[in-house]
């Protein structure tokens, strides 16, 4: 935008106020307006600057002071200026529109010219592309032709070379087509030691050609007999020559091997690879290794593993010996691998032969001496280690040999299935493995039972008859159930399961082995627990026999008392022994269940139904022990009740419940018989509280409480009661009730509570008897029998008085 000076000059020089150039560049209306009014209002810019500093209150004051004078005195001049400016703006717009119109016409003309030029260029480019396409097609055609010519030339050269070689081969073949065994006239090539490799290659080609031709002659119906005969002679001569050359090369190979000349060995091996792919050289090299031909090496292997006395070899010694021997073998094979890699063109094939020879000769020879398979019909004695020794050595040998196979695989054994070959070494032992494992477990169980039985006899012999004279039971001199023994059974089984894991790679096979081995454990535990409980029951049976002799005897006095105490002591000892047996049998079952959950269960899952079948077998095996335990617990109750009856009969006096009338103060103590019975029950049942638990404990104590209630009722019906005796009876019932509450059996507690209420029939006056049944009608039956035991039952004529009540 032009400044104010420029506009002022323009106004003075001409009548135009505005120009097109005023709107070019960075146009600002405020600047344009300022330039237009600068002549008419010279103070415009100054007032504009001052207005920014004055606030609205000052403007209002100026307005109020100058309201009488005009606000814009130069308004007329400004209006005239603005009108002229508007006219000039209209003219300027017309000028601009005209210029824009002319420019549009020029642009249209130039656009048409440009479009025409582009069309011509596109036609030229299309033509150029077509030319390039024709050129590319021509070049491709020429290239294909050149390639065909090259192929023909290469084929012709190959045919020429083949024809040249064929001529040479026919020439050599004619030399071998002489009389059989006549090789004196052959080319020097076949006798020159410096050209052995070339001679071997040509001889193999000639032999292959002749053998193929003979094969074709044999298939053809019509053939040339003369030619066939000639080729057969050539084949025979070539075979003789090849054999002679191969033997010569093997001799050179051996000589170089003895001198450790790897270069010479490699040269011979490379040439020999043309004879049957070098199999003879490979096998010859492996067969001449010292580990396969030195007898002392085999003997040293045996001594290292088995020691000087092979029959006494222990699994730990065998493990150490095998580790040392197999490490030595691995090191030897590793050294041979370095030589084989440097010598043979196909080292992997040689390593395959070497490792196979190691396993089939050296390892097999050792295992045959180490693993002597015993007979299941005639087991080795436990003094010799039994079947367990064989199984342990078998497991050690198998594990160590598997490790050897892994080490040999790491060293390198070509395409040989070293793991499968290792498995085949133990196939005869693994075929009957489950049967041997079960037979071993049965042998161990039998030996353990014989050991425990012998120990029991020694204890019995050392104790003599002293213990029995004091009332000890027969079972005390016999082996009692032991959780330690059961744990030993489980340890045997765990060891067997570990061998099953070792010998069984397939989960289904492993599950079958584990099920068979675990079933064997269940049989052993079932038999051991059942027999142990039966032995514990013998003491209860012995005590019962002693009681029967005491009851049948008619003697009285000190001798009878001694016999009764002997029977009682035997019964108490038998009770404790059986409870200990029950407790240990429960602990043993818990050990088996824990072992099954932790170690066996997961191994049975791969086979459908195996887990459920084993659980059922476990339940069946335990049921035998449960039956013995049930019988024994019944005998325990019979033993306790028999002693309770004896104590009541011996200690209860008639005067306990029928005190004289002249006694002023009643005796609030329990009777001596009650105290003796409660003390006895507290002492003897202490072992039951410890041994039994859960539902078994509740069922036993409930049955014992019911039997005690019944025995007491029968016992009290033998006596007559007066009111003072009734009070003492209630004291006895309270004592018995407090004791049975330790059973935590609500049904028994209720019976003794009702019994205490029923005893009130001995205390109340005859006319008050009817009030006893109003709150507790359930005691009526027992109350009827108790009322008949009152000492005034007849004198008070209670029968007639209560007849209406009973009705």
């Amino acid at each position: 935008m032009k400044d104010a000076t420029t506009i002022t000059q323009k106004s003075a020089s001409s009548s135009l106020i505005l120009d097109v150039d005023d709107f070019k560049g960075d146009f600002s209306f405020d600047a344009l307006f300022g330039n237009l009014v600068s002549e008419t209002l010279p103070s415009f810019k100054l007032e504009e600057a001052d207005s920014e500093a004055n606030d609205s209150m000052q403007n209002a004051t100026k307005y109020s002071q100058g309201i009488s004078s005009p606000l814009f005195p130069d308004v007329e001049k400004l209006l005239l200026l603005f009108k002229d400016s508007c006219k000039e703006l209209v003219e300027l717009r017309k000028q601009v529109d005209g210029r824009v119109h002319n420019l549009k016409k020029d642009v249209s003309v130039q656009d048409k010219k440009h479009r025409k030029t582009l069309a011509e260029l596109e036609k030229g480019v299309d033509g150029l592309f077509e030319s390039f396409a024709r050129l590319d097609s021509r070049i491709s055609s020429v290239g294909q032709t050149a390639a065909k010519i090259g192929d023909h030339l290469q084929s012709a050269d190959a045919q020429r070379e083949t024809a040249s070689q064929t001529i040479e081969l026919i020439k050599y073949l004619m030399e071998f087509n002489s009389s059989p065994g006549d090789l004196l006239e052959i080319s020097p090539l076949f006798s020159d030691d410096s050209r052995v490799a070339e001679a071997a290659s040509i001889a193999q080609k000639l032999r292959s050609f002749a053998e193929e031709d003979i094969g074709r002659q044999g298939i053809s119906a019509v053939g040339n007999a003369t030619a066939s005969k000639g080729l057969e002679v050539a084949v025979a001569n070539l075979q003789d020559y090849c054999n002679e050359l191969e033997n010569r090369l093997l001799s050179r190979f051996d000589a170089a091997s003895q001198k450790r000349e790897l270069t010479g060995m490699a040269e011979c091996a490379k040439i020999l690879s043309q004879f049957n792919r070098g199999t003879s050289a490979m096998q010859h090299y492996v067969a001449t290794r010292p580990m396969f031909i030195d007898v002392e090496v085999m003997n040293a292997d045996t001594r290292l593993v088995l020691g000087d006395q092979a029959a006494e070899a222990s699994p730990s010694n065998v493990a150490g010996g095998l580790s040392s021997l197999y490490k030595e073998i691995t090191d030897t094979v590793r050294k041979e691998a370095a030589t084989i890699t440097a010598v043979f063109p196909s080292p992997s094939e040689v390593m395959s032969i070497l490792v196979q020879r190691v396993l089939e000769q050296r390892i097999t020879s050792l295992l045959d001496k180490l693993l002597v398979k015993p007979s299941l019909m005639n087991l080795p004695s436990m003094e010799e280690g039994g079947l367990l020794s064989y199984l342990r050595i078998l497991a050690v040998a198998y594990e160590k040999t598997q490790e050897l196979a892994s080490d040999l695989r790491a060293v390198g054994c070509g395409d040989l299935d070293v793991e499968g070959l290792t498995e085949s070494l133990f196939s005869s032992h693994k075929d009957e493995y489950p049967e041997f494992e079960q037979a071993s477990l049965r042998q161990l169980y039998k030996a353990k039972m014989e050991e425990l039985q012998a120990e029991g006899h020694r204890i019995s012999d050392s104790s003599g008859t002293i213990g029995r004279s004091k009332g000890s039971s027969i079972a005390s001199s016999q082996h009692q159930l032991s959780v330690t023994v059961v744990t030993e059974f489980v340890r045997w089984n765990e060891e067997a399961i570990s061998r099953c894991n070792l010998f069984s790679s397939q989960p289904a096979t492993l599950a079958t082995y584990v099920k068979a081995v675990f079933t064997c454990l269940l049989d052993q535990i079932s038999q051991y627990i059942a027999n142990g409980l039966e032995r514990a029951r013998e003491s209860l049976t012995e005590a019962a026999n002693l009681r029967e002799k005491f009851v049948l005897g008619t003697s009285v006095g000190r001798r009878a008392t001694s016999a009764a105490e002997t029977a009682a002591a035997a019964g108490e000892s038998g009770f404790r022994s059986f409870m200990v047996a029950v407790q240990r049998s429960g602990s043993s079952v818990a050990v088996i269940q824990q072992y099954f959950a932790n170690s066996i269960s997961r191994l049975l899952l791969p086979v459908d139904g195996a887990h459920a079948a084993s659980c059922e077998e476990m339940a069946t095996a335990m049921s035998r022990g449960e039956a013995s335990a049930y019988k024994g617990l019944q005998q325990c109750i019979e033993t306790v009740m028999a002693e309770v009856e004896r104590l009541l009969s011996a200690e209860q006096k008639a005067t306990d419940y029928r005190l004289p009338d002249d006694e002023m103060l009643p005796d609030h103590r329990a009777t001596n018989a009650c105290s003796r019975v409660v003390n006895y029950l507290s002492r003897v049942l202490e072992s039951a509280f410890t041994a039994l638990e859960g539902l078994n404990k509740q069922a036993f104590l409930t049955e014992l409480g019911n039997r005690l209630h019944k025995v007491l009722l029968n016992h009290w019906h033998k006596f007559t009661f007066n009111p003072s005796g009734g009070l003492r009876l209630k004291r006895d019932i309270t004592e018995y009730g407090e004791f049975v509450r330790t059973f935590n059996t609500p049904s028994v507690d209720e019976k003794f509570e009702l019994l205490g209420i029923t005893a009130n029939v001995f205390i109340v006056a005859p006319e008050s008897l009817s009030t006893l049944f109003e709150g507790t009608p359930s005691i009526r039956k027992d109350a009827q029998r108790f009322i008949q035991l009152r000492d005034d039952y007849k004198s008070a004529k209670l029968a007639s008085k209560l007849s209406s009540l009973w009705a």
Side-chain angles (χ1 to χ4, degrees):
M1 175 61 76
K2 296 182 181 297
D3 55 15
T5 305
T6 304
I7 297 221
T8 304
Q9 292 174 357
K10 285 170 59 180
S11 301
S13 61
S14 66
S15 61
L16 292 176
I17 301 174
L18 299 173
D19 190 86
V20 175
D21 294 336
D22 295 335
F23 297 93
K24 293 181 180 180
D26 294 333
F27 175 74
S28 172
F29 179 79
D30 294 337
L32 176 63
F33 180 80
N35 292 332
L36 286 175
V37 302
S38 60
E39 292 182 0
T40 306
L41 299 174
S43 61
F44 172 75
K45 293 184 177 180
L46 181 61
E47 290 177 357
E48 184 180 15
D50 293 339
S51 64
E52 294 178 358
N54 296 328
D55 53 15
S56 60
M57 185 61 70
Q58 291 173 341
N59 290 334
T61 303
K62 288 179 182 180
Y63 175 75
S64 62
Q65 291 175 355
I67 193 168
S68 62
S69 62
L71 182 61
F72 298 108
D74 297 325
V75 66
E76 294 296 334
K77 294 179 182 181
L78 290 174
L79 289 174
L80 181 60
L81 177 64
F82 291 159
K83 289 179 181 180
D84 294 339
S85 298
C86 287
K87 292 178 182 180
E88 290 182 12
L89 286 173
V90 172
E91 290 297 329
L92 287 175
R93 185 177 64 182
K94 292 179 180 180
Q95 293 176 13
V96 171
D97 289 343
R99 290 180 185 179
V100 171
H101 181 69
N102 292 333
L103 288 174
K104 285 183 178 180
K105 288 182 179 180
D106 293 341
V107 170
S108 177
V109 172
Q110 293 297 328
D111 184 62
K112 289 179 180 179
K113 292 180 180 180
H114 180 67
R115 290 179 182 275
K116 183 178 180 182
T117 303
L118 286 178
E120 292 174 355
L121 288 175
E122 287 179 357
K123 290 180 180 180
V125 171
D126 291 341
L128 184 60
F129 282 161
E130 291 177 359
S131 299
F132 277 127
R134 289 193 298 270
L135 179 60
D136 182 67
S137 177
R138 182 62 179 167
I139 292 173
S140 177
S141 177
V142 172
Q144 292 178 358
T145 302
K148 291 180 180 178
I149 293 172
D151 291 341
H152 286 305
L153 290 175
Q154 186 177 6
S155 177
D157 184 68
Q159 291 177 2
R160 183 189 63 77
E161 182 67 24
T162 302
S164 176
Q165 293 179 1
T166 303
I167 292 172
E168 290 292 328
L169 290 176
I170 291 174
K171 175 184 174 182
Y172 293 136
L173 186 61
M174 291 175 64
E175 294 179 1
F176 281 98
N177 193 24
S178 58
S179 300
D182 186 7
L183 301 178
L184 298 177
E185 301 298 329
I186 61 176
S187 173
L189 167 67
F190 298 101
S191 58
D192 188 356
D193 286 345
S194 63
R195 302 176 65 186
V196 172
E198 183 181 357
S201 175
I202 292 175
Q204 287 297 318
K205 292 180 180 179
L206 292 175
R207 190 171 67 173
S208 299
F209 173 77
E211 289 175 349
E212 290 176 2
D213 187 74
I214 291 176
R216 289 194 297 270
Q217 289 289 342
I219 295 174
S220 177
V222 180
N224 191 327
T226 303
S228 176
K229 181 179 179 181
L231 290 177
E232 290 176 354
V233 172
V235 168
N237 288 335
L238 284 168
Q239 184 63 50
D240 292 340
Y241 172 77
C242 289
N243 291 339
E244 186 272 335
L245 180 61
E246 188 174 5
N247 291 332
R248 189 170 12 133
L249 288 170
L250 288 174
S251 299
R252 290 173 59 181
F253 183 87
D254 286 341
S257 176
Q258 292 177 359
K259 297 177 183 179
R260 297 296 298 172
E261 295 179 355
L262 298 183
T263 304
M265 294 172 64
E267 181 181 353
C268 294
K270 183 177 180 181
I271 299 172
L272 285 168
S273 64
Q274 301 181 47
F275 297 94
N276 196 21
R277 297 182 61 188
T279 303
S280 59
M282 299 177 189
Q283 293 178 345
H284 179 77
Y285 176 79
V286 172
T288 55
R289 297 305 89 202
M291 73 172 88
F292 301 128
I293 59 177
D294 192 348
V295 178
E296 184 57 31
V297 172
M298 305 294 181
N299 295 334
D301 291 349
T302 304
R303 288 195 300 271
L304 180 60
V305 175
L306 297 177
D308 296 331
Q309 297 179 349
E312 298 179 1
S314 65
S316 59
N317 293 337
V318 170
L322 285 176
S323 297
S324 301
L325 175 61
Y326 287 171
K327 183 179 184 302
E328 176 188 338
I329 291 175
T330 303
D331 294 340
T332 303
V333 172
R334 186 177 288 108
K335 293 178 182 177
E336 292 292 344
T339 302
I340 290 170
T341 303
V343 170
F344 289 93
S346 302
S348 62
E349 296 182 15
V350 186
M351 288 301 298
S352 176
I353 297 173
L354 175 64
V355 172
Q356 183 175 358
R357 187 72 175 267
V358 167
L359 293 175
E360 291 182 346
Q361 179 177 332
R362 193 170 180 183
I363 303 302
T364 300
S365 175
L366 175 65
L367 293 179
D368 289 343
K369 298 176 182 178
L370 177 63
L371 301 175
V372 180
K373 190 175 182 179
S375 171
L376 290 175
M377 303 302 295
N378 186 18
L379 301 180
S381 64
M382 292 302 297
E383 289 75 12
E384 299 174 353
L387 279 178
L388 182 60
S389 177
Y390 161 74
L391 290 172
R392 285 175 172 173
I393 293 177
L394 174 63
V396 167
Y398 182 83
E399 185 176 11
K400 295 298 181 182
T401 307
Q402 289 287 347
E403 293 175 0
L404 172 64
S406 178
D407 293 339
L408 294 177
R409 168 66 70 187
V411 173
C413 56
D415 296 332
L416 178 67
D417 182 11
V418 63
E419 288 80 9
L421 182 58
T422 304
E423 285 290 330
S424 67
L425 301 180
F426 295 89
S427 59
S428 61
H429 297 278
K430 293 176 66 176
D431 290 341
E432 297 180 293
Y433 164 71
E435 290 79 6
F436 275 88
E437 200 68 78
Q438 293 177 78
S440 172
L441 291 174
R442 287 192 290 267
Q443 185 183 37
L444 289 171
Y445 178 79
K446 180 180 179 182
K448 187 65 177 179
M449 293 301 100
E450 291 175 353
E451 174 189 346
L452 296 175
Q453 186 176 6
E455 182 181 353
H457 287 322
R458 286 196 300 271
I459 295 175
S460 177
D461 293 341
S462 63
S463 62
T465 59
I466 298 176
R468 296 183 191 180
S469 64
K470 295 183 179 180
S472 62
S473 64
I474 296 175
S476 63
S477 62
Q478 298 179 352
H479 168 69
Q480 298 293 321
L481 277 176
S482 171
V483 181
T484 303
V485 174
V486 173
T487 305
E488 188 173 2
F489 296 163
V490 173
R491 182 174 53 79
W492 296 341
N493 208 261
E494 285 179 329
E495 182 180 342
I497 294 297
S498 67
R499 286 192 289 269
C500 292
N501 275 294
L502 180 64
F503 291 129
S504 310
S505 58
Q506 298 298 325
T509 305
L510 174 60
T512 302
Y513 287 179
V514 169
K515 185 176 182 298
V517 171
F518 183 67
T519 300
C520 191
L521 173 64
L522 290 178
D523 293 340
Q524 293 174 353
I525 297 297
S526 173
Q527 184 177 353
Y528 178 71
I529 290 178
N531 291 344
L533 291 173
E534 289 298 326
R535 287 194 301 271
R537 283 182 57 205
E538 291 177 2
S539 60
L540 296 172
T541 304
E542 178 189 10
N545 293 335
L546 290 175
R547 288 196 305 272
E548 185 176 356
K549 291 180 181 179
F550 165 71
V551 172
L552 293 177
T554 57
S555 59
V556 294
R558 183 178 300 175
R559 183 176 180 183
T561 303
S562 177
E565 291 177 351
T566 300
E572 188 171 343
S573 175
F575 184 93
R576 289 198 180 95
S577 297
F578 189 80
M579 285 301 169
V580 170
V582 169
Q583 182 181 17
R584 292 177 179 177
S585 64
S587 300
S588 300
V589 172
V591 169
I592 298 301
Q593 291 173 339
Q594 188 70 24
Y595 171 60
F596 177 79
N598 293 343
S599 304
I600 304 299
S601 178
R602 57 184 176 82
L603 300 177
L604 299 176
L605 295 178
V607 176
D608 292 339
H611 184 275
S614 292
C615 290
E616 185 176 352
E617 289 179 2
M618 186 162 54
T620 302
M622 297 303 107
S623 64
R624 181 182 175 188
E626 291 174 355
S628 298
Y630 178 77
K631 294 178 182 178
L633 291 175
Q634 290 292 336
Q635 285 184 273
C636 285
I637 293 176
E638 295 294 340
T639 300
V640 170
M641 290 299 102
E643 178 61 14
V644 168
E645 290 177 352
R646 187 190 74 81
L647 289 175
L648 291 174
S649 176
E651 301 296 332
Q652 198 81 69
K653 303 296 188 294
T655 56
D656 288 343
Y657 299 124
R658 194 174 181 183
L659 300 176
D661 294 335
D662 55 357
E663 288 191 8
M664 299 300 294
L665 296 175
D667 191 351
H668 295 290
R669 296 173 300 171
T671 62
N672 185 50
C674 175
S675 299
R676 289 287 301 275
V677 169
V678 171
N679 290 336
Y680 166 75
L681 291 175
S682 300
R683 183 177 68 253
V684 76
L685 291 182
E686 182 178 356
S687 58
F689 283 110
T690 304
L692 301 177
E693 57 186 15
L695 296 177
N696 293 331
K697 180 179 181 180
Q698 184 179 7
F700 176 79
L701 294 178
T702 299
E703 177 65 17
L704 183 65
N706 291 332
R707 290 288 301 276
L708 177 62
H709 179 268
K710 184 178 180 180
V711 167
L712 290 174
L713 281 179
N714 293 335
H715 169 69
W716 287 327
H717 282 119
K718 301 175 183 177
F719 297 90
T720 303
F721 299 84
N722 61 11
S724 297
L727 290 173
R728 201 163 193 195
L729 174 63
K730 280 185 66 68
R731 184 66 186 90
D732 284 355
I733 294 175
T734 301
E735 192 76 14
Y736 290 125
E738 289 177 354
F739 173 73
V740 297
R741 270 196 292 274
T742 61
F743 292 2
N744 290 323
T745 51
S747 60
V748 176
D749 292 344
E750 183 181 1
K751 286 187 176 182
F752 277 87
E753 289 175 1
L754 294 177
L755 193 59
I757 297 173
T758 306
N760 289 327
V761 300
F762 300 123
I763 302 172
V764 300
E767 57 273 11
S768 302
L769 286 174
S770 59
T771 60
L772 293 177
F773 313 116
E774 294 177 356
T776 53
S778 58
I779 66 172
R780 180 172 297 182
K781 183 177 180 180
D782 290 335
Q784 291 179 13
R785 300 174 61 189
F786 268 30
I787 290 175
Q788 296 176 16
L789 303 178
R790 287 175 60 114
D791 61 348
D792 60 348
Y793 180 73
K794 294 181 179 180
S795 61
K797 300 180 180 181
L798 294 179
S800 59
K801 291 181 180 180
L802 297 176
S803 59
S804 60
L805 179 61
W806 305 142

